[in-house]
Amino acid sequence: MSRLGRRLLAEFVGTALLVAVVVGSGIMAQNLAPGQIGLQLLANSTATVFGLAVLILILGPVSGAHFNPVVSLADWWQARQRGTGLSSRELGGYVLAQALGAIGGCLLANAMFAVPAISWSSTERTGAAVWLGEIVATAGLILVIFALTRTGRAAAAPVAVAAYIGAAYWFTSSTSFANPAVTLGRAFSDTFAGIAPISVPGFVLAQLAGGVIGFLLVQGLFGRPGADVPEAVSGEPTASR
């Protein structure tokens, strides 16, 4: 398999497993603690923190462990400034792999819990306050990731990124999706972690806005990147070389 092929496979598998963790733990929490929303969210967020940390640790050396189109877009834009990093062709491949992986991961979680493979979510998540929550969640995520890479601390990404997402589950009104691919995938499950298809466009637009804000914050705090700045999340992929 080519170097790019391995990177795309890592993004597909990583995003699929991330969504399987999010949706699967949501279904399990819903089954074990019916009606207890706070306990369900605690279980869901805890599983997501541990699952995301492990996935970044394992797949980061292959693809950078983006698992998120906003992260890939930010890395592509940074690459335009420093002359290296994701190309436009690689960006398209990453986004497609992430979207397909997210859908596949949701279908897998549904299958594991004997839920219909495609059961469109009926949970509407909408309104200015919720969209603001997604903007904050995504901006913070981009800031965490790129602050680490810009200061040579990418090795801390598995812990720092997972910890931020876990915290943002609780301090944002949207429970921190912060990821267009994951948002798309979660529309395929009418369970605790689902989002109604009608709510997906608003979330994605808020996430893109948050990505821009987060990247501008990184630029303001750390300036323009030099040619030696590694890729997000966890450094320049090496395993595929």
Side-chain angles (χ1 to χ4, degrees):
M1 184 178 289
S2 68
R3 179 172 181 264
L4 178 57
R6 285 191 287 269
R7 297 180 74 172
L8 297 182
L9 178 60
E11 287 297 302
F12 174 85
V13 171
T15 311
L17 290 177
L18 174 59
V19 174
V21 168
V22 172
V23 174
S25 63
I27 297 173
M28 178 67 81
Q30 193 173 28
N31 290 342
L32 295 179
Q36 300 183 55
I37 303 300
L39 188 56
Q40 292 172 6
L41 185 61
L42 178 61
N44 193 210
S45 60
T46 301
T48 301
V49 166
F50 286 114
L52 180 58
V54 170
L55 289 171
I56 294 174
L57 187 64
I58 293 172
L59 298 174
V62 182
S63 68
H66 293 186
F67 314 147
N68 187 332
V70 174
V71 175
S72 298
L73 279 165
D75 191 50
W76 171 83
W77 183 250
Q78 179 175 263
R80 307 285 65 75
Q81 297 177 317
R82 65 190 171 104
T84 60
L86 283 182
S87 67
S88 298
R89 173 171 171 261
E90 289 170 332
L91 172 63
Y94 265 51
V95 172
L96 179 60
Q98 291 156 358
L100 293 177
I103 295 171
C106 187
L107 300 185
L108 175 62
N110 287 341
M112 287 193 293
F113 288 91
V115 174
I118 298 178
S119 51
W120 297 111
S121 177
S122 58
T123 304
E124 293 191 21
R125 303 174 188 261
T126 187
V130 174
W131 295 329
L132 178 59
E134 272 303 278
I135 291 172
V136 170
T138 310
L141 176 63
I142 295 299
L143 179 59
V144 168
I145 292 170
F146 285 86
L148 291 174
T149 59
R150 293 287 292 277
T151 56
R153 295 176 294 164
V159 172
V161 173
Y164 173 78
I165 290 297
Y169 256 85
W170 290 92
F171 79 77
T172 65
S173 55
S174 64
T175 66
S176 183
F177 285 47
N179 185 328
V182 168
T183 303
L184 173 64
R186 289 169 69 165
F188 285 77
S189 186
D190 191 20
T191 59
F192 176 77
I195 177 172
I198 195 172
S199 300
V200 170
F203 261 57
V204 171
L205 288 174
Q207 291 156 359
L208 292 174
V212 171
I213 293 170
F215 192 75
L216 291 176
L217 285 173
V218 173
Q219 296 282 73
L221 291 168
F222 302 102
R224 293 173 63 88
D228 59 339
V229 174
E231 291 184 35
V233 164
S234 42
E236 184 75 24
T238 57
S240 57
R241 288 178 179 167

